[in-house]
Amino acid sequence: MSKNLYIKTFGCQMNERDSEIMEQMLAQEGYVPAASPEGADVVLINTCSIREKAEQKVFSLLGQLREEKARNPSLLLGVTGCVAQQEGERIRERMPHVDLIVGTQQIYQLPEMLARLTQGMTTRETATDLEGSFAIPPFQKLLINTPPSPAPHSFRRFVTIMQGCNNYCSYCVVPGTRGREISRPVADIMEEVEILVSQGVKEITLLGQNVNSYGKTNKVADTEVDFPQLLRQVALVNGLRRLRFTTSHPKDLSEALMRCFAEIDILCPHFHLPVQSGSNAVLQRMNRKYTVENYLEKVASLRRLCPDIALATDIIVGFPGETEADFQATMDLLQTVRFHGSFSFKYSDRPHTRSAEFSDKIPEEVKARRLMEFQSLQDSISLERNSESIGREVEVMVESGEGNRLRGRTPANQIVHFTAAPASSLIPGTLARVQIDHAGKHSLKGTLRN
Ligand code: SAH
Ligand code: SF4
Ligand code: F3S
């Protein structure tokens, strides 16, 4: 008899990919995806701990599920991901209704852990070692061999190329929640990509917290391949139409990687390059290891090599000690680079990070005001950037649609809503030519060209 599995995912693409892997692993054990936690046999919360708010969401959902569990005592409730890694002990002590705690590197154990629970061999399961699951052969094979999840996004997939982070930005939990940097063997990555493409996948995003240092630290297998070389190899896979990657640390952005944007046809001209702040004093306290000047030089080189490249970034406002002048420097940087888009956040203290100990914390209302100012400037720049596409014909990869109204993305990752003749049957993953006639701050509108 099939069992119902509900997975709720918080956080980044790494977590999205991990949820997919868990779903695929458990599908082999007879679990089918459920649309809601009500009535499910197993509920997994794949958690994020990057900011305080993210963690609060997890604990409030766990609170609600206490009631669900009271209604349905046979429900097995599990916590996975970065909060499980960081707060496993606390969850175990304070949340007796949680049956399963699985750290970021232990998800491959999930089927056995669930089997022991369902057979009544144990009443609680915890696995939070941070030893690097890529190093474990069954996990490598599992990543490759698990069949893809069904539509709607079967044409566009993530492939994890490395785990962890060695950078220790002073505000960040990731080195603690994901462990040391470890690169996956090239042969495994290539095998996974080839299988996906042979199954009809058209777009691949290579994932890691800092893909630029792929192959440089803690290699699992002997490989002399660095990230630009890996990109070139993946790009050769026949049938792959678009290639993307995320995320990159500016300090490790090499000339060789920049040249990839000019030389690899299917590498999309969209680059997420988090700068975090426009003030050198703040960058230094963040332990980012580059200056605003270094960053701007890299942006200039990128644009020389690939004039159409769309740049996106992450910004933290209200880092401890951030003065009005520091914040103004971030606004100036935004005006100078004119990012196509950005993710911006109010700084929040995180456990076991260095900046949590810093003095001169910025009051909540100052952080909120700075965030609003930043976002409103970004919105107007995003609108200007998107307006540059008006009158142009762009290539759009179709994502979804109903009738003659479709939605897709440009190589620069802009969302496009467009209309097509009623008879046109554009399935997700098709590349279409679209004439853009309207721009908003978050999306474009246009008409299909034949
Ligand atoms: N590895 C990626 C970022 C991962 S975290 C990189 O280094 O670029 C995603 C974003 O969350 C970060 O870029 C940062 O802007 C934000 N962030 C991380 N820790 C934070 C904190 N303590 N408070 C607020 N924002 C934070
Ligand atoms: Fe966090 Fe910095 Fe690593 Fe990104 S590079 S994950 S911000 S420590
Ligand atoms: Fe969140 Fe962990 Fe990703 S903290 S951003 S889910 S690496």
Side-chain angles (χ1 to χ4, degrees):
M1 207 181 65
S2 69
K3 294 158 280 185
N4 289 324
L5 165 71
Y6 174 78
I7 304 183
K8 171 78 186 169
T9 310
F10 293 96
C12 63
Q13 288 139 325
M14 240 86 37
N15 256 19
E16 283 179 43
R17 174 64 187 132
D18 286 348
S19 288
E20 208 177 63
I21 294 168
M22 294 192 284
E23 191 179 298
Q24 291 168 339
M25 273 191 300
L26 294 177
Q28 291 171 351
E29 309 295 318
Y31 285 90
V32 292
S36 83
E38 284 87 44
D41 298 290
V42 174
V43 171
L44 298 176
I45 316 295
N46 194 9
T47 60
C48 174
S49 147
I50 199 78
R51 283 168 290 277
E52 203 180 336
K53 225 162 128 190
E55 189 177 327
Q56 279 164 0
K57 277 191 213 159
V58 169
F59 282 105
S60 94
L61 181 59
L62 282 173
Q64 288 165 27
L65 286 167
R66 194 193 303 266
E67 292 156 32
E68 180 60 24
K69 177 121 186 169
R71 276 193 294 271
N72 172 12
S74 67
L75 166 72
L76 290 174
L77 176 59
V79 185
T80 64
C82 290
V83 177
Q85 189 63 51
Q86 195 166 51
E87 303 295 333
E89 207 45 48
R90 196 174 114 203
I91 297 171
R92 208 155 58 149
E93 281 167 15
R94 301 201 194 155
M95 306 206 129
H97 66 298
V98 173
D99 305 288
L100 191 73
I101 299 164
V102 190
T104 52
Q105 308 262 326
Q106 300 298 326
I107 56 174
Y108 67 96
Q109 293 205 39
L110 199 54
E112 289 94 62
M113 294 168 90
L114 270 176
R116 285 194 292 268
L117 285 169
T118 46
Q119 288 160 21
M121 290 161 68
T122 49
T123 51
R124 243 181 157 194
E125 290 278 340
T126 307
T128 50
D129 280 359
L130 256 186
E131 73 217 25
S133 51
F134 284 165
I136 302 162
F139 188 65
Q140 294 173 30
K141 283 292 146 226
L142 181 132
L143 282 175
I144 296 164
N145 292 328
T146 43
S149 59
H153 286 307
S154 50
F155 68 93
R156 190 174 67 188
R157 298 294 298 275
F158 297 129
V159 171
T160 306
I161 64 163
M162 60 195 299
Q163 289 177 333
C165 183
N166 288 352
N167 285 318
Y168 291 98
C169 300
S170 59
Y171 50 81
C172 185
V173 291
V174 173
T177 61
R178 299 264 166 178
R180 298 292 68 69
E181 226 168 80
I182 180 162
S183 298
R184 199 174 161 204
V186 183
D188 288 2
I189 296 170
M190 293 307 298
E191 201 180 337
E192 187 176 339
V193 171
E194 274 158 15
I195 291 174
L196 290 171
V197 173
S198 74
Q199 288 166 337
V201 169
K202 304 285 182 223
E203 177 178 313
I204 294 246
T205 302
L206 302 179
L207 288 184
Q209 291 294 354
N210 181 19
V211 292
N212 296 358
S213 57
Y214 173 82
K216 290 189 185 151
T217 40
N218 301 339
K219 286 169 222 159
V220 172
D222 292 337
T223 164
E224 292 307 313
V225 174
D226 64 11
F227 185 59
Q229 289 165 327
L230 179 72
L231 274 179
R232 287 177 196 273
Q233 281 197 34
V234 173
L236 291 177
V237 174
N238 220 341
L240 184 62
R241 304 301 296 271
R242 283 184 175 182
L243 180 58
R244 302 180 187 276
F245 62 85
T246 194
T247 311
S248 300
H249 194 302
K251 79 172 162 50
D252 298 316
L253 169 55
S254 63
E255 236 346 272
L257 180 56
M258 295 188 200
R259 278 200 307 275
C260 290
F261 282 104
E263 293 167 10
I264 303 177
D265 261 9
I266 64 164
L267 182 63
C268 292
H270 176 251
F271 196 9
H272 188 82
L273 193 61
V275 64
Q276 312 297 358
S277 169
S279 151
N280 283 335
V282 173
L283 286 174
Q284 196 174 8
R285 287 202 303 280
M286 288 177 163
N287 194 31
R288 289 292 285 179
K289 302 194 178 86
Y290 54 83
T291 61
V292 175
E293 293 73 23
N294 301 149
Y295 187 89
L296 289 174
E297 273 163 34
K298 291 191 174 180
V299 167
S301 307
L302 268 168
R303 287 185 170 153
R304 244 189 330 268
L305 284 160
C306 181
D308 280 343
I309 198 158
L311 295 175
T313 202
D314 290 352
I315 293 287
I316 297 176
V317 300
F319 188 76
E322 185 188 71
T323 61
E324 277 309 317
D326 291 325
F327 172 64
Q328 209 44 57
T330 298
M331 297 289 273
D332 293 346
L333 179 77
L334 174 54
Q335 292 275 21
T336 307
V337 181
R338 299 181 65 245
F339 293 102
H340 280 65
S342 62
F343 297 100
S344 47
F345 313 99
K346 288 186 280 187
Y347 168 81
S348 75
D349 275 342
R350 305 306 297 129
H352 318 298
T353 60
R354 272 196 285 149
S355 62
E357 311 296 322
F358 290 177
S359 51
D360 301 329
K361 296 283 161 56
I362 305 299
E364 192 52 36
E365 61 279 12
V366 175
K367 288 195 272 190
R369 195 235 321 135
R370 289 180 187 168
L371 186 68
M372 247 174 53
E373 278 181 35
F374 180 87
Q375 290 181 341
S376 104
L377 180 59
Q378 177 66 70
D379 280 353
S380 60
I381 292 173
S382 297
L383 181 60
E384 285 167 20
R385 284 294 195 187
N386 281 342
S387 302
E388 291 166 9
S389 298
I390 294 176
R392 287 195 203 163
E393 192 179 301
V394 297
E395 183 201 76
V396 172
M397 186 175 277
V398 179
E399 285 180 6
S400 58
E402 234 172 68
N404 63 345
R405 295 181 169 279
L406 297 153
R407 181 193 134 114
R409 261 169 221 267
T410 66
N413 217 27
Q414 295 148 301
I415 294 169
V416 183
H417 299 278
F418 64 102
T419 48
S424 49
S425 57
L426 289 175
I427 57 164
T430 314
L431 289 175
R433 308 285 316 170
V434 174
Q435 176 81 23
I436 301 300
D437 48 38
H438 181 269
K441 58 182 192 255
H442 298 306
S443 64
L444 304 172
K445 280 187 190 152
T447 318
L448 181 71
R449 292 273 143 210
N450 291 312

